Amino acid sequence: MRFNQSLVFIILSALLILTACGSKEEGEKETSEKGKVQTSSQGERQVLRISMATEVDNLDPYQSAATDTGSMMDNVFDGLFDTNEAGELEPRLATDVAVSEDGLTYTFTLREGVTFHNGAKFTAKDVVYSYDRLAGLTSGEPLSSKFSVISSIEAKSDTEVAVVLKEVDSSFLARNIVAILPEGYEEQSTKPVGAGPFSFKQYDAGQQLVLEKNENYYLTDRVPTVDEVQFKIMPDSEAALLALQAGDIDVIPGISELGIQQLGNAIEVVSGPQNMVQLMAMNNSIEPFTNVKVRQAINHAINKDVIIQTVAEGKGTKLGSNFSPAMDFFFQEGLDDHYPYDIEQAKKLLEEAGYPEGFSFTLTVPSEYQFHVDTAQMLASQLAEVGITVTIESIEFSTWLERVYTNAQYEATVISFTGKLDPFEVVGRFVSDYAKNFVKFNDPALDQAIQSALATTDEDERAEFYKKAQTILTEQAASVFIMDPDRSIGMRKGISGFKMYPIQKFNLEDVTISDKK
């Protein structure tokens, strides 16, 4: 898939699914049919109930870092653009964009007749407000380093905005799927307001996030048919399976193969790759992971094929760098075999590094993700074969976000980097001055490759620079890049409309519910 400067093609991945359920409101009368509620004044009301493994980290899209939260709240917010399942940018709050010859000025034509959920009219001032906050133009503190490339932003009129960059950044257009917020509204963390197909209804910490249909959605041909969506916080995967069996929920994203077999004909399944990278991240700033030979030894000691066959039940693509072949145009082939499973070579490298008897370290894992917990156990077992003792520390995901992702207070961790729209968003995580480079990888050659990729608008050149960056990450063993696991979503029968994207995304506005059980 390729980029062009006018409407960019970008690869994406992620699976979306949802379902219907019964809800009870004042004046309602429940029926025995799951997914439907009969109301005395409004007729039939459709409710989808989806299990989610992790808690909401922040309702404000500019403060949230959790992928699961983003995929839920994405339905509340719209950006200037969105993506379709083919990986192409589609107009949303902007209808068009023009890029200057020097690649520095992006002029967006905005859609008219749009209102936010609080009734405020959408104009150029909301784009200026949103991007000013993201770039830190007024505050001096960017909320996102990805927008610090913005030099200025100006509302030319109510329906036209010009964004000027400090330097050419070929990945900038893909970032314009970010949420646009209403100017001056300051309750996003408690009562979020956007312009998306669903509006925020309520959030009960540790229990559920509830969204309701936006009857006034500006894309009139995509107004949702589902009235309400209830995201149920269910970190216990077995409890989620039992809840679906009992008819208490309708959809399980990320259902295991064992769960699929357990539920059998009671569900329908949608499966596909995720454009994701599961890795054992090593903190490159902490001994002994500062030593490249140690990192290379660990890579040789890991049998990724066994992990894929056991933890992913064979449904995963082995990786050798921080990049999935789902983004084929930018993907460097052959890196998955760079470190063949070789116990003797691993021991040899450990001895050369000064650790002939091995060493010990703590592997921190977010407890809500059983997939990562299972992977950590496999890693500990395999590394024991070369004298490395691994202590697994299981912590809540909210704690992981603060301690590991934000403050890099860890030795090693198992996590997945979710799919992004642009290759920079994937390999740029390892740039030395990237604010969230919690792996603490620091390599001038990688920094230069990424900078060169950003500075060129020639797509073939961009691809070569990103392939070079992938190779550097592999050769320097920045971490153990394990796999891109397939994702399966189980749902009760009668639900349709879910699409696959190379980013994690729930397209709830497309979901329909029939009477089929």
Side-chain angles (χ1 to χ4, degrees), residues 192-458:
V193 167
F198 285 82
S199 61
F200 171 80
K201 183 175 182 180
Q202 72 183 73
Y203 168 57
D204 304 311
Q207 299 180 48
Q208 66 176 354
L209 168 66
V210 183
L211 309 181
E212 60 184 349
K213 170 182 179 177
N214 176 11
E215 297 277 4
N216 299 313
Y217 190 45
Y218 60 90
L219 295 179
T220 56
D221 61 338
R222 300 193 70 181
V223 174
T225 61
V226 172
D227 296 290
E228 182 173 292
V229 180
Q230 300 171 355
F231 291 101
K232 304 290 188 178
I233 310 303
M234 305 185 73
D236 187 329
S237 59
E238 184 61 29
L241 289 173
L242 294 174
L244 196 149
Q245 280 184 317
D248 295 327
I249 61 170
D250 306 300
V251 178
I252 302 178
I255 189 172
S256 67
E257 185 66 24
L258 185 62
I260 293 172
Q261 295 173 8
Q262 180 177 330
L263 294 174
N265 294 331
I267 61 170
E268 294 179 347
V269 179
V270 177
S271 298
Q274 300 188 69
N275 188 27
M276 176 183 282
V277 176
Q278 188 202 36
L279 70 161
M280 186 185 84
M282 294 177 278
N283 190 333
N284 283 214
S285 67
I286 293 178
E287 292 284 356
F289 302 124
T290 54
N291 191 318
V292 65
K293 289 189 175 182
V294 168
R295 302 196 302 268
Q296 291 170 338
I298 288 175
N299 271 271
H300 276 299
I302 299 303
N303 191 327
K304 300 176 187 177
D305 292 318
V306 170
I307 296 175
I308 292 170
Q309 288 301 318
T310 54
V311 179
E313 297 161 318
K315 296 184 177 180
T317 302
K318 184 166 68 173
L319 302 179
S321 190
N322 195 65
F323 217 85
S324 167
M327 300 182 75
D328 58 350
F329 181 67
F330 297 96
F331 179 68
Q332 178 59 61
E333 296 182 351
L335 298 179
D336 56 313
D337 294 323
H338 191 83
Y339 295 103
Y341 176 58
D342 189 334
I343 292 294
E344 294 308 313
Q345 178 66 8
K347 289 180 178 179
K348 179 175 181 292
L349 286 168
L350 285 175
E351 184 173 359
E352 291 176 1
Y355 297 92
E357 305 300 322
F359 57 92
S360 62
F361 70 89
T362 299
L363 184 58
T364 304
V365 189
S367 59
E368 293 93 331
Y369 290 95
Q370 190 61 45
F371 190 83
H372 298 328
V373 174
D374 292 345
T375 300
Q377 292 169 346
M378 290 290 298
L379 291 167
S381 176
Q382 292 181 358
L383 289 174
E385 296 296 316
V386 295
I388 297 176
T389 301
V390 178
T391 300
I392 298 175
E393 178 191 30
S394 184
I395 61 176
E396 291 185 352
F397 185 54
S398 57
T399 304
W400 184 94
L401 284 170
E402 179 180 1
R403 189 199 301 177
V404 179
Y405 184 69
T406 302
N407 296 317
Q409 296 177 352
Y410 77 106
E411 292 179 290
T413 187
V414 178
I415 198 65
S416 287
F417 289 149
T418 52
K420 300 296 180 182
L421 304 185
D422 186 273
F424 171 76
E425 308 296 334
V426 182
V427 292
R429 300 173 185 272
F430 293 85
V431 172
S432 59
D433 61 355
Y434 176 55
K436 298 298 185 180
N437 176 9
F438 66 88
V439 178
K440 298 301 179 183
F441 184 72
N442 188 336
D443 189 293
L446 179 125
D447 291 352
Q448 183 57 57
I450 298 296
Q451 185 56 46
S452 298
L454 291 174
T456 182
T457 56
D458 182 282

Side-chain angles (χ1 to χ4, degrees), residues 50-312:
I50 308 156
S51 70
M52 298 299 292
T54 61
E55 179 62 278
V56 172
D57 69 326
N58 200 307
L59 295 171
D60 185 335
Y62 295 171
Q63 302 297 329
S64 173
T67 300
D68 280 354
T69 299
S71 64
M72 291 186 279
M73 293 302 294
D74 175 62
N75 293 279
V76 173
F77 305 103
D78 269 356
L80 297 181
F81 291 92
D82 198 357
T83 64
N84 61 22
E85 64 272 26
E88 303 163 341
L89 288 180
E90 290 188 335
R92 283 299 182 266
L93 295 176
T95 59
D96 197 10
V97 58
V99 184
S100 62
E101 271 191 39
D102 61 9
L104 294 177
T105 302
Y106 290 70
T107 303
F108 297 94
T109 302
L110 306 181
R111 193 180 299 272
E112 299 183 64
V114 178
T115 57
F116 289 102
H117 300 149
N118 61 355
K121 180 182 177 183
F122 164 70
T123 67
K125 68 182 182 350
D126 301 302
V127 181
V128 172
Y129 166 77
S130 298
Y131 281 18
D132 181 280
R133 289 185 62 204
L134 288 165
L137 297 180
T138 299
S139 68
E141 298 180 6
L143 292 179
S144 171
S145 61
K146 299 170 186 176
F147 287 83
S148 60
V149 71
I150 294 178
S151 172
S152 65
I153 179 169
E154 178 185 359
K156 297 290 187 179
S157 69
D158 279 353
T159 58
E160 189 174 76
V161 171
V163 178
V164 180
L165 307 185
K166 299 173 184 176
E167 57 191 10
V168 174
D169 185 342
S170 58
S171 71
F172 177 71
L173 193 53
R175 298 174 196 162
N176 290 281
I177 64 168
V178 70
I180 299 298
L181 307 182
E183 181 188 28
Y185 184 76
E186 298 180 353
E187 298 182 70
Q188 293 291 355
S189 288
T190 54
K191 298 176 182 178
V193 167
F198 285 82
S199 61
F200 171 80
K201 183 175 182 180
Q202 72 183 73
Y203 168 57
D204 304 311
Q207 299 180 48
Q208 66 176 354
L209 168 66
V210 183
L211 309 181
E212 60 184 349
K213 170 182 179 177
N214 176 11
E215 297 277 4
N216 299 313
Y217 190 45
Y218 60 90
L219 295 179
T220 56
D221 61 338
R222 300 193 70 181
V223 174
T225 61
V226 172
D227 296 290
E228 182 173 292
V229 180
Q230 300 171 355
F231 291 101
K232 304 290 188 178
I233 310 303
M234 305 185 73
D236 187 329
S237 59
E238 184 61 29
L241 289 173
L242 294 174
L244 196 149
Q245 280 184 317
D248 295 327
I249 61 170
D250 306 300
V251 178
I252 302 178
I255 189 172
S256 67
E257 185 66 24
L258 185 62
I260 293 172
Q261 295 173 8
Q262 180 177 330
L263 294 174
N265 294 331
I267 61 170
E268 294 179 347
V269 179
V270 177
S271 298
Q274 300 188 69
N275 188 27
M276 176 183 282
V277 176
Q278 188 202 36
L279 70 161
M280 186 185 84
M282 294 177 278
N283 190 333
N284 283 214
S285 67
I286 293 178
E287 292 284 356
F289 302 124
T290 54
N291 191 318
V292 65
K293 289 189 175 182
V294 168
R295 302 196 302 268
Q296 291 170 338
I298 288 175
N299 271 271
H300 276 299
I302 299 303
N303 191 327
K304 300 176 187 177
D305 292 318
V306 170
I307 296 175
I308 292 170
Q309 288 301 318
T310 54
V311 179

